[in-house]
Amino acid sequence: MTGSSAVIRTRSWAVLLLGLMTAASPAAFAADCPGHPDALGTSRTLVVDPREHPRIGTMQYRETLPLKDHEVVLTFDDGPLPKYSNQVLQILASECIKATFFIIGQQAKANPEGVRKLVAAGHTVGTHSMTHPLTMNSMPIDKAEAEINGGIEWTSAAMTDPYKLAPFFRIPGLMRADGVENYLISRGIQVWSADFPADDWRHVSPDRVYQLAIQRLEAKGKGILLLHDIQARTVAALPKIIRDLKARGYHIVHVVPATPDRPATPTTPVEWLLHPPTETTPIARWPAVPNFTFMQTATLPAPDPADLNAQTAHQPQLLPHKTMAQADIAATLPAPGRDLFAIPEGSVEVLLSTTLSRRAAMRLAMAAEAPHAGKGKAGRMQARRTPAHAAPARAAQVRTAAPRPTRLATGVKKRA
């Protein structure tokens, strides 16, 4: 028992030490920068397979690199240009940072030593066309292919080991086109956009470049930063950007292509989204409706008219029993006679329905009330003395008293 307990304790300590070493390895790797103990460093290396995710960068595409929160990938375009590219290399070396460089073929042809310096420093080197045209979205595909191939040939020729060239390509000016992308993907080359730029190719101050880089990174929380190693403003802004990344708790990720000896980092498809949905995040869009393929397109036969007049007993029971019973009872009720709704022609009710008939109704009402006021000459004199404005009041009395119009109408008919 004593030996068994000792073995168990030994294994427990081994597991604990292994866990501590695993947890501390990224931080130790980031701090492993000789002469610069406070360097930002490179937290981890991400291995990607260009064939599995051929387009990355949310500035133009749905997917981006599978980064964790507060992880950044630094990328530089248009070099090498010794005057500024060498300074960028020194700044990155002082912080032990690994980045990705997209080389122009003409620059590699003119400065092959600059390409070799990038490879020797351990950075990833991709390509950025031969002459950096800003018309790859509209030029003929054969010309675009020549631009792509020229950049690849001269960049790989500048290297001591051509296999060090990564199958990564960034379209100049991000002027994407389906034909260009399809050609790159057919060759197993990954198309890189970015998640946010710092506008260092514009005529802005180095401080503005720094501000844009940090503000846009903070807005997204992680991603691919697009910079240029041929600009003086980038050289001036880069130390401030790195210093602020360190102060805000960001980590640098180095991206390399997968090889037969170096498999891709295991990831899930949702990790390639900039902001993967979670259980607490509502879905912003309805899911896409799939395209169904119907194997049989024959239509159903139309019902025969005789089937619509079939007996109730042979029809399916569509309504509840109570409802069907009520429908049968309602069908047997007698229809009301037409004379039930008839109104005698010439009655006060009919005359009052129009403006001209109202005057006739008032005259009938006045004539009908004349006998009650007095007969003979005295009655007629009283009717003449009755003011004209009293007629509407009497007509109103006729409308309110329902039995009287009926008697009046009867009396009128008798006189006629």
Side-chain angles (χ1 to χ4, degrees):
M1 289 296 293
T2 304
S4 300
S5 60
V7 172
I8 293 174
R9 286 196 299 269
T10 303
R11 290 179 178 176
S12 301
W13 278 108
V15 171
L16 179 60
L17 288 174
L18 180 60
L20 291 175
M21 290 174 63
T22 303
S25 58
F29 183 73
D32 186 14
C33 194
H36 301 277
D38 298 329
L40 177 59
T42 302
S43 63
R44 70 183 178 107
T45 299
L46 176 65
V47 185
V48 299
D49 187 346
R51 297 167 299 179
E52 294 181 357
H53 300 274
R55 301 177 180 89
I56 58 171
T58 54
M59 285 183 66
Q60 294 175 298
Y61 308 118
R62 178 175 179 267
E63 292 186 334
T64 189
L65 291 172
L67 303 176
K68 301 175 183 177
D69 187 42
H70 277 64
E71 286 189 339
V72 186
V73 173
L74 298 182
T75 63
F76 296 88
D77 289 4
D78 298 354
L81 188 63
K83 182 178 180 180
Y84 301 116
S85 299
N86 289 339
Q87 297 182 62
V88 169
L89 274 177
Q90 292 175 3
I91 295 171
L92 296 178
S94 66
E95 295 287 342
C96 290
I97 292 175
K98 297 295 185 291
T100 301
F101 289 81
F102 292 94
I103 306 301
I104 294 178
Q106 283 185 342
Q107 299 284 54
K109 181 179 179 180
N111 306 289
E113 183 62 26
V115 178
R116 289 192 284 269
K117 285 183 179 180
L118 293 173
V119 177
H123 298 290
T124 299
V125 177
T127 54
H128 197 41
S129 79
M130 182 64 189
T131 64
H132 198 280
L134 296 177
T135 56
M136 292 193 72
N137 61 327
S138 58
M139 67 172 54
I141 188 61
D142 56 343
K143 189 176 180 180
E145 292 177 4
E147 281 285 343
I148 295 170
N149 295 332
I152 293 174
E153 290 172 4
W154 282 103
T155 304
S156 59
M159 297 179 174
T160 305
D161 183 3
Y163 292 99
K164 293 290 185 179
L165 181 62
F168 299 159
F169 185 88
R170 179 173 278 160
I171 300 174
L174 304 182
M175 306 299 289
R176 61 171 300 273
D178 291 337
V180 175
E181 293 173 0
N182 292 336
Y183 174 72
L184 290 166
I185 294 170
S186 68
R187 293 189 54 182
I189 300 174
Q190 191 174 46
V191 184
W192 280 54
S193 181
D195 292 316
F196 53 95
D199 293 3
D200 57 342
W201 69 91
R202 302 183 184 276
H203 296 289
V204 297
S205 65
D207 192 60
R208 183 57 178 163
V209 172
Y210 151 74
Q211 291 175 359
L212 290 175
I214 298 301
Q215 289 173 4
R216 291 168 177 173
L217 174 58
E218 287 282 271
K220 293 199 171 184
K222 60 180 179 179
I224 305 169
L225 173 60
L226 172 58
L227 296 169
H228 296 78
D229 61 323
I230 63 170
Q231 301 289 346
R233 61 181 65 92
T234 307
V235 175
L238 188 56
K240 296 180 64 176
I241 293 174
I242 294 174
R243 183 170 63 249
D244 219 3
L245 291 178
K246 189 190 316 180
R248 296 171 184 264
Y250 284 91
H251 304 282
I252 301 297
V253 175
H254 184 209
V255 183
V256 297
T259 63
D261 300 331
R262 181 174 53 190
T265 302
T267 58
T268 59
V270 73
E271 293 181 75
W272 291 79
L273 303 177
L274 184 65
H275 298 295
T278 63
E279 294 182 356
T280 59
T281 302
I283 297 176
R285 300 178 182 86
W286 288 100
V289 178
N291 295 324
F292 294 102
T293 302
F294 296 93
M295 302 302 295
Q296 297 180 357
T297 59
T299 58
L300 294 175
D304 189 270
D307 296 336
L308 302 177
N309 298 325
Q311 297 296 327
T312 307
H314 301 288
Q315 293 180 352
Q317 188 72 22
L318 301 178
L319 298 175
H321 294 287
K322 182 178 181 181
T323 305
M324 293 292 291
Q326 291 175 350
D328 294 340
I329 295 174
T332 59
L333 292 176
R338 294 177 59 86
D339 57 347
L340 182 64
F341 304 100
I343 298 177
E345 193 70 27
S347 63
V348 177
E349 288 82 356
V350 174
L351 292 175
L352 289 176
S353 62
T354 62
T355 303
L356 295 177
S357 299
R358 291 193 192 99
R359 297 176 182 175
M362 287 188 290
R363 288 197 297 269
L364 289 175
M366 293 172 60
E369 291 182 356
H372 298 282
K375 295 182 179 180
K377 185 177 180 179
R380 288 193 297 271
M381 293 298 293
Q382 183 177 359
R384 290 176 182 176
R385 289 194 297 269
T386 302
H389 61 79
R394 294 180 180 180
Q397 294 177 1
V398 171
R399 287 194 298 270
T400 55
R404 182 174 295 177
T406 305
R407 291 195 299 271
L408 289 174
T410 305
V412 171
K413 289 183 180 180
K414 287 181 178 180
R415 291 180 183 178

